mmCIF file of all heavy atoms in Angstrom:
data_model
loop_
_atom_site.group_PDB
_atom_site.id
_atom_site.type_symbol
_atom_site.label_atom_id
_atom_site.label_comp_id
_atom_site.label_asym_id
_atom_site.label_seq_id
_atom_site.Cartn_x
_atom_site.Cartn_y
_atom_site.Cartn_z
ATOM 1 N N MET A 98 -217.718 128.486 -197.546
ATOM 2 C CA MET A 98 -219.174 128.232 -197.080
ATOM 3 C C MET A 98 -220.023 128.297 -198.311
ATOM 4 O O MET A 98 -221.004 127.510 -198.355
ATOM 5 C CB MET A 98 -219.561 129.331 -196.128
ATOM 6 C CG MET A 98 -218.813 129.239 -194.787
ATOM 7 S SD MET A 98 -219.132 130.594 -193.654
ATOM 8 C CE MET A 98 -220.886 130.355 -193.298
ATOM 9 N N ILE A 99 -219.731 129.126 -199.300
ATOM 10 C CA ILE A 99 -220.597 129.060 -200.549
ATOM 11 C C ILE A 99 -220.567 127.757 -201.216
ATOM 12 O O ILE A 99 -221.501 127.272 -201.687
ATOM 13 C CB ILE A 99 -220.284 130.297 -201.457
ATOM 14 C CG1 ILE A 99 -220.598 131.610 -200.933
ATOM 15 C CG2 ILE A 99 -220.745 130.065 -202.863
ATOM 16 C CD1 ILE A 99 -220.164 132.788 -201.735
ATOM 17 N N MET A 101 -219.968 124.837 -199.930
ATOM 18 C CA MET A 101 -220.659 123.869 -199.156
ATOM 19 C C MET A 101 -222.171 124.097 -199.264
ATOM 20 O O MET A 101 -222.978 123.166 -199.377
ATOM 21 C CB MET A 101 -220.218 123.875 -197.730
ATOM 22 C CG MET A 101 -218.920 123.204 -197.425
ATOM 23 S SD MET A 101 -218.554 122.869 -195.697
ATOM 24 C CE MET A 101 -218.475 124.587 -195.010
ATOM 25 N N GLY A 102 -222.536 125.394 -199.256
ATOM 26 C CA GLY A 102 -224.000 125.768 -199.483
ATOM 27 C C GLY A 102 -224.568 125.269 -200.766
ATOM 28 O O GLY A 102 -225.607 124.795 -200.867
ATOM 29 N N VAL A 103 -223.786 125.454 -201.846
ATOM 30 C CA VAL A 103 -224.211 124.919 -203.145
ATOM 31 C C VAL A 103 -224.316 123.385 -203.187
ATOM 32 O O VAL A 103 -225.335 122.916 -203.743
ATOM 33 C CB VAL A 103 -223.184 125.398 -204.304
ATOM 34 C CG1 VAL A 103 -223.441 124.760 -205.622
ATOM 35 C CG2 VAL A 103 -223.282 126.916 -204.425
ATOM 36 N N TYR A 106 -227.494 122.546 -201.375
ATOM 37 C CA TYR A 106 -228.725 122.912 -202.165
ATOM 38 C C TYR A 106 -228.933 121.844 -203.305
ATOM 39 O O TYR A 106 -230.065 121.501 -203.588
ATOM 40 C CB TYR A 106 -228.574 124.278 -202.785
ATOM 41 C CG TYR A 106 -229.733 124.666 -203.620
ATOM 42 C CD1 TYR A 106 -230.961 124.882 -203.065
ATOM 43 C CD2 TYR A 106 -229.574 124.900 -204.985
ATOM 44 C CE1 TYR A 106 -232.093 125.283 -203.804
ATOM 45 C CE2 TYR A 106 -230.690 125.232 -205.735
ATOM 46 C CZ TYR A 106 -231.899 125.326 -205.155
ATOM 47 O OH TYR A 106 -233.057 125.751 -205.957
ATOM 48 N N VAL A 114 -233.883 126.934 -197.005
ATOM 49 C CA VAL A 114 -232.871 127.524 -196.177
ATOM 50 C C VAL A 114 -231.441 127.472 -196.861
ATOM 51 O O VAL A 114 -230.607 128.326 -196.661
ATOM 52 C CB VAL A 114 -232.836 126.898 -194.742
ATOM 53 C CG1 VAL A 114 -232.323 125.409 -194.771
ATOM 54 C CG2 VAL A 114 -231.979 127.749 -193.805
ATOM 55 N N TYR A 115 -231.248 126.403 -197.674
ATOM 56 C CA TYR A 115 -230.008 126.288 -198.329
ATOM 57 C C TYR A 115 -229.874 127.348 -199.414
ATOM 58 O O TYR A 115 -228.867 127.867 -199.760
ATOM 59 C CB TYR A 115 -229.833 124.892 -198.934
ATOM 60 C CG TYR A 115 -229.789 123.799 -197.900
ATOM 61 C CD1 TYR A 115 -230.623 122.665 -198.047
ATOM 62 C CD2 TYR A 115 -229.143 123.978 -196.713
ATOM 63 C CE1 TYR A 115 -230.611 121.637 -197.113
ATOM 64 C CE2 TYR A 115 -229.104 122.930 -195.702
ATOM 65 C CZ TYR A 115 -229.917 121.821 -195.985
ATOM 66 O OH TYR A 115 -229.908 120.774 -195.004
ATOM 67 N N ARG A 116 -231.079 127.572 -200.102
ATOM 68 C CA ARG A 116 -231.070 128.670 -201.093
ATOM 69 C C ARG A 116 -230.795 129.966 -200.442
ATOM 70 O O ARG A 116 -229.977 130.762 -201.083
ATOM 71 C CB ARG A 116 -232.463 128.617 -201.775
ATOM 72 C CG ARG A 116 -232.538 129.626 -202.985
ATOM 73 C CD ARG A 116 -233.934 129.684 -203.496
ATOM 74 N NE ARG A 116 -234.461 128.394 -203.914
ATOM 75 C CZ ARG A 116 -235.523 127.835 -203.380
ATOM 76 N NH1 ARG A 116 -236.119 128.500 -202.307
ATOM 77 N NH2 ARG A 116 -235.922 126.673 -203.782
ATOM 78 N N LEU A 117 -231.393 130.162 -199.317
ATOM 79 C CA LEU A 117 -231.167 131.559 -198.670
ATOM 80 C C LEU A 117 -229.682 131.644 -198.218
ATOM 81 O O LEU A 117 -229.136 132.712 -198.290
ATOM 82 C CB LEU A 117 -232.008 131.584 -197.348
ATOM 83 C CG LEU A 117 -232.055 132.913 -196.675
ATOM 84 C CD1 LEU A 117 -232.478 134.087 -197.533
ATOM 85 C CD2 LEU A 117 -233.002 132.736 -195.449
ATOM 86 N N LEU A 118 -229.126 130.486 -197.804
ATOM 87 C CA LEU A 118 -227.647 130.480 -197.440
ATOM 88 C C LEU A 118 -226.777 130.973 -198.581
ATOM 89 O O LEU A 118 -225.914 131.828 -198.401
ATOM 90 C CB LEU A 118 -227.264 129.097 -196.990
ATOM 91 C CG LEU A 118 -225.774 128.924 -196.612
ATOM 92 C CD1 LEU A 118 -225.360 129.816 -195.379
ATOM 93 C CD2 LEU A 118 -225.482 127.451 -196.295
ATOM 94 N N ILE A 119 -226.972 130.375 -199.817
ATOM 95 C CA ILE A 119 -226.111 130.723 -200.857
ATOM 96 C C ILE A 119 -226.424 132.080 -201.470
ATOM 97 O O ILE A 119 -225.649 132.614 -202.244
ATOM 98 C CB ILE A 119 -226.083 129.661 -201.966
ATOM 99 C CG1 ILE A 119 -227.615 129.437 -202.530
ATOM 100 C CG2 ILE A 119 -225.568 128.344 -201.496
ATOM 101 C CD1 ILE A 119 -227.624 128.383 -203.639
ATOM 102 N N LEU A 120 -227.537 132.684 -201.103
ATOM 103 C CA LEU A 120 -227.870 134.010 -201.547
ATOM 104 C C LEU A 120 -227.237 135.039 -200.564
ATOM 105 O O LEU A 120 -226.821 136.163 -201.008
ATOM 106 C CB LEU A 120 -229.427 134.191 -201.571
ATOM 107 C CG LEU A 120 -230.157 133.545 -202.728
ATOM 108 C CD1 LEU A 120 -231.659 133.766 -202.588
ATOM 109 C CD2 LEU A 120 -229.694 134.051 -204.024
ATOM 110 N N ILE A 121 -227.239 134.743 -199.316
ATOM 111 C CA ILE A 121 -226.735 135.730 -198.381
ATOM 112 C C ILE A 121 -225.212 135.772 -198.289
ATOM 113 O O ILE A 121 -224.583 136.807 -197.978
ATOM 114 C CB ILE A 121 -227.312 135.489 -196.942
ATOM 115 C CG1 ILE A 121 -227.104 136.685 -195.911
ATOM 116 C CG2 ILE A 121 -226.708 134.261 -196.259
ATOM 117 C CD1 ILE A 121 -227.833 137.935 -196.544
ATOM 118 N N LEU A 122 -224.554 134.637 -198.532
ATOM 119 C CA LEU A 122 -223.117 134.637 -198.387
ATOM 120 C C LEU A 122 -222.469 135.533 -199.461
ATOM 121 O O LEU A 122 -221.422 136.309 -199.087
ATOM 122 C CB LEU A 122 -222.587 133.191 -198.620
ATOM 123 C CG LEU A 122 -222.880 132.220 -197.392
ATOM 124 C CD1 LEU A 122 -222.525 130.833 -197.802
ATOM 125 C CD2 LEU A 122 -222.137 132.662 -196.175
ATOM 126 N N PRO A 123 -222.961 135.712 -200.675
ATOM 127 C CA PRO A 123 -222.274 136.658 -201.553
ATOM 128 C C PRO A 123 -222.490 138.116 -201.025
ATOM 129 O O PRO A 123 -221.597 138.948 -201.226
ATOM 130 C CB PRO A 123 -223.056 136.490 -202.893
ATOM 131 C CG PRO A 123 -223.489 135.066 -202.844
ATOM 132 C CD PRO A 123 -223.821 134.816 -201.475
#
Side-chain angles (χ1 to χ4, degrees):
M98 290 174 69
I99 288 177
M101 287 193 291
V103 170
Y106 179 67
V114 69
Y115 301 134
R116 186 187 304 116
L117 187 57
L118 176 65
I119 60 179
L120 287 175
I121 196 60
L122 288 172

